[in-house]
Amino acid sequence: MPLFTIKKRSGGNVYQAVGVFNKTRVRHSLGTSDYAMARKLCVDFEAGVLSGSIKLGATRSLSSQNKFKSVATRYLKSPMTGTSKSIRDYVLRLSDYFGDYQINSIDLNDVEEYVEEKHVNRGNSNSTIRRDLTQLQSILSYAHSLGLRDPIKIRKPVEGAHKTETFNDEEIEAIFSELSPDVRRICTFLLHTGARPVEAMTLQYDAVDWSNNTCVLGCYKVKGGILRERRMPLNEQAQDTIPRSNPPPSTHVFLNGGRAFESNKQIGYHWRKVTDKLGIKKSPYTLRHTFATRLARNGIPPKVIADLMGHSDLKMVMRYMNTTYEDHKAAVMSLQ
C-alpha cells in the first residue's frame, strides 16, 4: 500500500503527495496538474523518502505538546469545555484521526479530507457532519486561544430539514407493556417531564420537592460547561414513577436492578430489544420530543415549552410545533 496519495488542494490545480511518514504529516507539491505525471512523481518522491535521499522538512516535527491529541486532551480538561459524553466521544474520534498532526498545520484541505473519508464515504447526514465539525472548530479555536495556531473558520454543510419524530398512543402502549419495570419507570418519567435521559439517570432524591411536587433537572451545556438547571412540575404520572419512603430507598431516584444507571446504553439496550421486535425504529429520546409536541398541540406558549425543555433558543421549540391540515382548516374556519 503506497505511503502517499495524490490530491489537489481546494481550488488548486497542482497535485500534491499527501500522507503520513514516521507519524509526521506530509504534504509535498508535485508541481504538475497532469495526473499521469503526478503519479510518476509521487512514486519517485515516496522512494526517495523511504531511502532517506529526500529529507522531510523539520517544520512538521514540533513539540509533542503541540500535536492535536495533546491539545484535544487539554481541551477536554478545560473548565470551559462541556462535560457531556457526546462531546468526549466526538473529541476522541477526532483525536483518532488527527492525533499526530501538528495543531498549527491543520488547514481546510485537511478538514475536507477528513469529511470525505469519515463522513461522505459512509453516507453520514449533514447534521452528523455539522456536529463533528463543530467540535473540531472548538478544538482549533481553543488552540488559537493558547497561541498555538492561527485562527481558522471551518465551513460546514447546510443543515437539512429537521425531522422530529414522536410517538402515538398505540406505540407507547405497545412499547411500555414490554419494558422491564425499572426501564418502564424511567421512560414514563421521560414521557411526562421531557427530561433528557441523562437528567433522569442522574436525578437524586434531594432534588425532589414533595411539598410542591417538583424536581430540579439539569445538565452541562457545551458553551462554558455550565450546569443549567430548571424546576420541573410533576404531574400524577411522573409522581407515580418516584417511590416515596422516609428515608428514601436510595440516593438515585431511578435504579436498574438495584443499581444506579451508568449510561444511556443501559436504557437503549432494553429499549431496542422491545422496539426491534415491534418494528418501531425510534429511540428513547423520542419520548422527550413527544412531551414537547403534546404541549405545543395543547396551545402552550413557546416560551413555556422552551423553559420546560431547558432550551435557551426559541427556534429549538419550533421543531415541535408541527401542524396538520385540520389545524389549518380550523384556523381559517375560526374567522368570521
Side-chain angles (χ1 to χ4, degrees):
M1 182 176 179
L3 280 177
F4 306 114
T5 57
I6 304 171
K7 294 186 177 182
K8 290 182 179 179
R9 279 185 178 273
S10 300
N13 294 319
V14 177
Y15 283 101
Q16 297 178 324
V18 179
V20 176
F21 179 71
N22 285 341
K23 296 184 177 181
T24 300
R25 181 67 173 171
V26 176
R27 185 188 300 281
H28 172 75
S29 175
L30 298 172
T32 180
S33 59
D34 180 82
Y35 180 73
M37 178 60 70
R39 287 187 60 184
K40 180 181 182 304
L41 292 173
C42 185
V43 171
D44 294 341
F45 172 70
E46 182 172 318
V49 170
L50 291 173
S51 68
S53 62
I54 295 178
K55 303 296 183 183
L56 299 177
T59 56
R60 298 290 183 174
S61 303
L62 303 178
S63 168
S64 62
Q65 294 182 356
N66 293 336
K67 290 182 178 180
F68 183 94
K69 60 185 177 184
S70 298
V71 177
T73 299
R74 294 173 64 184
Y75 169 78
L76 283 176
K77 293 179 179 178
S78 170
M80 299 304 292
T81 301
T83 59
S84 72
K85 183 177 181 298
S86 61
I87 290 178
R88 181 174 180 81
D89 288 345
Y90 276 116
V91 173
L92 291 179
R93 282 197 292 270
L94 288 165
S95 290
D96 285 341
Y97 184 89
F98 290 106
D100 287 313
Y101 285 39
Q102 293 297 327
I103 197 73
N104 67 340
S105 71
I106 296 174
D107 59 21
L108 293 178
N109 198 66
D110 294 319
V111 175
E112 290 190 4
E113 290 173 8
Y114 170 73
V115 170
E116 180 181 355
E117 180 179 339
K118 295 297 183 180
H119 290 292
V120 176
N121 291 343
R122 300 181 182 186
N124 292 339
S125 67
N126 281 0
S127 296
T128 298
I129 299 173
R130 285 178 63 87
R131 286 193 294 270
D132 203 359
L133 293 184
T134 294
Q135 282 307 311
L136 179 56
Q137 177 72 74
S138 296
I139 296 170
L140 297 178
S141 296
Y142 174 72
H144 169 61
S145 72
L146 298 177
L148 299 178
R149 64 161 295 122
D150 293 332
I152 184 173
K153 180 66 175 178
I154 296 177
R155 294 170 291 184
K156 302 172 187 174
V158 177
E159 183 75 80
H162 190 92
K163 180 183 179 182
T164 300
E165 293 185 317
T166 60
F167 290 113
N168 58 42
D169 292 342
E170 292 76 17
E171 289 175 325
I172 292 173
E173 182 177 356
I175 295 170
F176 279 39
S177 65
E178 297 286 338
L179 292 174
S180 66
D182 286 342
V183 178
R184 181 168 61 248
R185 191 159 65 89
I186 192 171
C187 287
T188 301
F189 182 83
L190 299 179
L191 179 63
H192 289 279
T193 62
R196 300 174 178 88
V198 68
E199 293 174 332
M201 287 164 38
T202 57
L203 180 65
Q204 299 189 9
Y205 272 98
D206 59 9
V208 180
D209 182 358
W210 288 118
S211 63
N212 295 309
N213 290 328
T214 64
C215 71
V216 176
L217 300 174
C219 68
Y220 287 92
K221 302 301 290 180
V222 174
K223 189 175 181 179
I226 300 173
L227 176 65
R228 292 174 52 184
E229 296 181 323
R230 64 191 184 280
R231 183 167 294 277
M232 174 62 63
L234 302 174
N235 63 15
E236 290 185 5
Q237 292 88 339
Q239 293 175 41
D240 289 343
T241 67
I242 305 176
R244 299 195 199 192
S245 64
N246 192 13
S250 64
T251 301
H252 287 78
V253 170
F254 297 103
L255 303 177
N256 182 33
R259 301 176 62 181
F261 284 90
E262 296 178 356
S263 73
N264 290 344
K265 292 182 179 180
Q266 290 177 292
I267 300 175
Y269 170 76
H270 295 285
W271 178 272
R272 285 191 299 272
K273 284 179 64 177
V274 173
T275 54
D276 286 351
K277 182 172 68 173
L278 296 172
I280 300 174
K281 303 300 182 182
K282 299 176 184 177
S283 73
Y285 212 87
T286 307
L287 296 168
R288 172 172 161 85
H289 296 163
T290 302
F291 168 81
T293 300
R294 285 177 170 179
L295 294 178
R297 298 284 298 167
N298 287 339
I300 304 302
K303 182 61 170 65
V304 175
I305 299 176
D307 291 344
L308 290 173
M309 297 291 286
H311 289 317
S312 58
D313 188 346
L314 286 180
K315 290 187 293 185
M316 296 290 290
V317 179
M318 298 306 295
R319 67 182 62 180
Y320 308 121
M321 306 185 77
N322 303 311
T323 61
T324 66
Y325 171 73
E326 294 302 321
D327 295 324
H328 303 163
K329 181 178 178 181
V332 172
M333 295 304 174
S334 69
L335 300 175
Q336 298 296 330

